[in-house]
């Protein structure tokens, strides 16, 4: 009988060890032996892209974010339409808005030349976001690697789970909480709006006083010059920087803007509007080092959302299609 319990205990111990191994499959050294030049190859592509167009840094960070919030960080957002699923690219939060696909495709092409069939598109997205941040003065961080690519996309989930520019603070907190991200993580990640631009239709109601009274009048007037009240296909696509002061530099001006009621999107200003996240915004507005540190930590945490690892998923040869 004692031998029975000994064997049973050994089996339980093995299960614990195996479970721990499965949970720890992402590693910063994942490609050290199989593709040691992977990270430097991706970095070169991202640097060229951002040097050509500074706005691309924001787009690449957002692309990684929009991927991870749907099915986890599995590069599902990169898949084109197929006979078996609808592309996430055509979901409302992504269509005619998310960009940078061509840069990821270029990075994948370059990596395939040196290490065919080894590096996943999901990992390229994660590395590209880190390199994009650093290229415009933002923080860098150690990217955990070993994700694999999905063989399907989920347009319905993209429509339901991705944050909207009209979301209330409570809705935003709930959306992030469902992905395992705290309110502080949410505010830190929102700080990526210190770079990039938004389309007129996303902030028109705010700058013209509809459903919003907490906006600086001079700021609203300035934004109205490039975003007409009348809606039309051309007017709706007109762009404005999310941070009017330093739109191409990753700093903490975004949070200073919120305190002055100069948040461009409604979902930006709700972070500082008498709610539970006001104190976090205040912290970041006076402590850029803390903001950058928390942003890096939140990006690492976000990159851990439901990755496919081990025998799950595949490594796509082309990011937009199944092998």
């Amino acid at each position: 009988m004692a031998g029975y319990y000994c064997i049973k205990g050994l089996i339980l111990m093995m299960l614990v060890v195996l479970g721990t191994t499965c949970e720890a499959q992402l590693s910063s050294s994942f490609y050290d032996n199989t593709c040691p030049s992977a990270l430097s190859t991706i970095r070169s592509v991202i640097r060229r892209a951002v040097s050509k167009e500074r706005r691309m840094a924001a787009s690449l960070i957002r692309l990684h974010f929009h991927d991870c919030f749907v099915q986890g960080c599995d590069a599902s957002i990169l898949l084109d339409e197929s006979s078996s699923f609808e592309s996430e690219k055509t979901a409302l939060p992504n269509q005619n808005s998310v960009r940078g696909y061509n840069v990821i495709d270029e990075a994948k092409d370059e990596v395939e030349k040196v290490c065919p069939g080894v590096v996943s598109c999901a990992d390229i997205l994660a590395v590209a976001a880190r390199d994009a941040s650093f290229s415009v003065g933002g923080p860098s961080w150690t990217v955990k690697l070993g994700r694999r690519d999905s063989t399907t996309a989920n347009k319905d989930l993209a429509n339901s789970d991705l944050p909207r520019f009209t979301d209330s603070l409570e809705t935003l907190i709930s959306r992030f909480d469902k992905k395992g991200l705290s309110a502080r993580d949410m505010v830190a990640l929102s700080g990526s709006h210190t770079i990039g631009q938004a389309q007129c239709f996303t902030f028109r109601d705010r700058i013209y006083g509809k459903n919003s009274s907490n906006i600086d009048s001079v700021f609203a007037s300035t934004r109205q010059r490039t975003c007409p009240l009348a809606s039309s296909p051309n007017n709706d696509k007109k762009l404005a920087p999310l941070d009017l002061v330093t739109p191409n530099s990753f700093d903490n001006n975004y949070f200073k803007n919120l305190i002055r009621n100069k948040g461009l999107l409604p979902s930006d200003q709700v972070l500082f509007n008498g709610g539970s996240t006001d104190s976090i915004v205040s912290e970041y507005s006076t402590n850029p080092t803390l903001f950058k540190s928390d942003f890096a930590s939140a990006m690492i945490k976000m990159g851990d959302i439901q990755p496919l690892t081990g025998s799950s998923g595949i490594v796509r040869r082309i990011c937009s299609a199944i092998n």
Side-chain angles (χ1 to χ4, degrees):
M1 195 71 174
Y4 165 78
Y5 284 113
C6 182
I7 293 171
K8 186 177 180 182
L10 182 61
I11 292 172
L12 287 172
M13 185 179 296
M14 287 175 66
L15 289 173
V16 170
V17 171
L18 286 171
T20 304
T21 302
C22 289
E23 291 174 359
Q25 285 180 321
L26 293 185
S27 166
S28 61
S29 59
F30 189 83
Y31 297 114
D32 281 5
N33 294 323
T34 56
C35 190
S37 61
L39 298 190
S40 60
T41 301
I42 297 168
R43 186 185 309 119
S44 296
V45 173
I46 303 309
R47 282 178 175 173
R48 287 198 304 268
V50 175
S51 177
K52 184 177 179 180
E53 182 195 7
R54 295 280 286 186
R55 179 188 171 203
M56 186 54 69
S59 298
L60 292 172
I61 293 171
R62 185 174 182 230
L63 188 56
H64 180 41
F65 172 81
H66 277 229
D67 177 47
C68 290
F69 260 59
V70 182
Q71 298 188 162
C73 307
D74 62 357
S76 60
I77 195 173
L78 303 178
L79 286 170
D80 287 337
E81 206 90 359
S82 81
S83 58
S84 58
F85 57 80
E86 291 183 282
S87 174
E88 292 169 22
K89 293 179 180 180
T90 59
L92 287 175
N94 296 330
Q95 191 170 27
N96 300 319
S97 174
V98 172
R99 57 199 294 273
Y101 301 113
N102 59 316
V103 178
I104 300 301
D105 286 342
E106 183 182 349
K108 176 63 171 175
D109 288 344
E110 292 300 311
V111 171
E112 284 293 302
K113 290 176 184 177
V114 292
C115 308
V118 174
V119 182
S120 69
C121 299
D123 276 346
I124 291 175
L125 275 172
V127 174
R130 187 271 309 274
D131 293 343
S133 166
F134 188 70
S135 67
V136 289
S140 183
W141 55 89
T142 300
V143 179
K144 290 189 282 184
L145 303 163
R147 301 169 191 81
R148 288 168 67 83
D149 301 324
S150 66
T151 55
T152 186
N154 195 323
K155 181 179 178 179
D156 289 340
L157 202 60
N159 278 321
S160 65
D161 282 20
L162 285 168
R164 303 294 185 91
F165 62 89
T166 55
D167 281 347
S168 66
L169 178 61
E170 292 73 21
T171 299
L172 288 172
I173 290 174
S174 176
R175 289 190 191 279
F176 280 74
D177 180 65
K178 288 177 181 177
K179 305 300 178 183
L181 298 168
S182 67
R184 178 172 286 272
D185 294 327
M186 178 192 73
V187 176
L189 291 170
S190 298
S192 64
H193 284 185
T194 188
I195 54 176
Q197 301 184 55
Q199 297 183 69
C200 175
F201 80 91
T202 63
F203 58 86
R204 178 183 284 117
D205 284 354
R206 174 162 164 74
I207 63 173
Y208 284 100
K210 298 177 183 178
N211 308 320
S212 177
S213 57
N214 59 335
I215 186 169
D216 179 86
S217 59
V218 175
F219 173 74
S221 178
T222 301
R223 287 281 137 260
Q224 289 171 12
R225 295 173 194 163
T226 54
C227 180
L229 178 59
S231 177
S232 72
N234 286 334
N235 287 346
D236 289 353
K237 294 178 182 178
K238 290 182 182 294
L239 297 170
L242 288 158
D243 173 13
L244 187 61
V245 184
T246 54
N248 293 316
S249 297
F250 198 106
D251 53 33
N252 68 332
N253 265 320
Y254 168 79
F255 300 104
K256 296 178 181 179
N257 294 337
L258 297 186
I259 291 174
R260 296 167 184 153
N261 287 330
K262 294 181 179 181
L264 186 62
L265 302 178
S267 56
D268 288 326
Q269 196 59 57
V270 296
L271 301 182
F272 191 84
N273 192 32
S276 59
T277 55
D278 281 14
S279 59
I280 304 173
V281 171
S282 295
E283 280 185 77
Y284 291 159
S285 72
T286 58
N287 193 333
T289 302
L290 175 63
F291 160 52
K292 289 185 176 182
S293 174
D294 282 1
F295 179 81
S297 296
M299 288 293 288
I300 294 171
K301 194 173 176 181
M302 187 185 77
D304 283 341
I305 298 176
Q306 297 177 310
L308 297 173
T309 58
S311 60
S312 300
I314 62 173
V315 174
R316 292 190 220 131
R317 291 190 294 269
I318 299 173
C319 290
S320 60
I322 308 301
N323 297 344

